[in-house]
Amino acid sequence: MIVAEKKPITASFSTADKMDIYNRFGEAMPDGRLTEPGDGKVYRLREAILLSKRLGRPLTDNEMKQFEV
């Protein structure tokens, strides 16, 4: 029977590096948003997502028009 020796797992960067990533994110989005505001339209997203998966690419604006409610 072969027994492997366990080695400790170490992080590839320090906590200071992690905080630097968060600080840059805060500068990029000063108002706290994570995404752009919506266009106010309602879509049948389940069907749009299925079509996008079948095509293997994101849908164009013209293709999304067929899913507007």
Side-chain angles (χ1 to χ4, degrees):
M1 180 162 120
I2 299 174
V3 178
E5 183 180 323
K6 291 186 177 182
K7 295 182 181 180
I9 298 173
T10 57
S12 60
F13 50 89
S14 69
T15 304
D17 292 335
K18 290 180 186 177
M19 292 308 294
D20 187 43
I21 291 169
Y22 290 124
N23 288 338
R24 278 185 274 147
F25 177 78
E27 292 171 9
M29 297 293 223
D31 60 356
R33 286 184 290 125
L34 298 178
T35 61
E36 293 182 11
D39 58 4
K41 298 177 184 174
V42 179
Y43 297 93
R44 295 186 318 269
L45 289 178
R46 185 180 308 265
E47 296 170 25
I49 291 168
L50 289 173
L51 177 60
S52 176
K53 285 182 179 181
R54 276 187 281 167
L55 295 174
R57 61 174 174 79
L59 300 179
T60 64
D61 291 336
N62 289 334
E63 290 170 332
M64 279 302 293
K65 285 182 183 177
Q66 68 184 6
F67 297 107
E68 286 182 12
V69 176

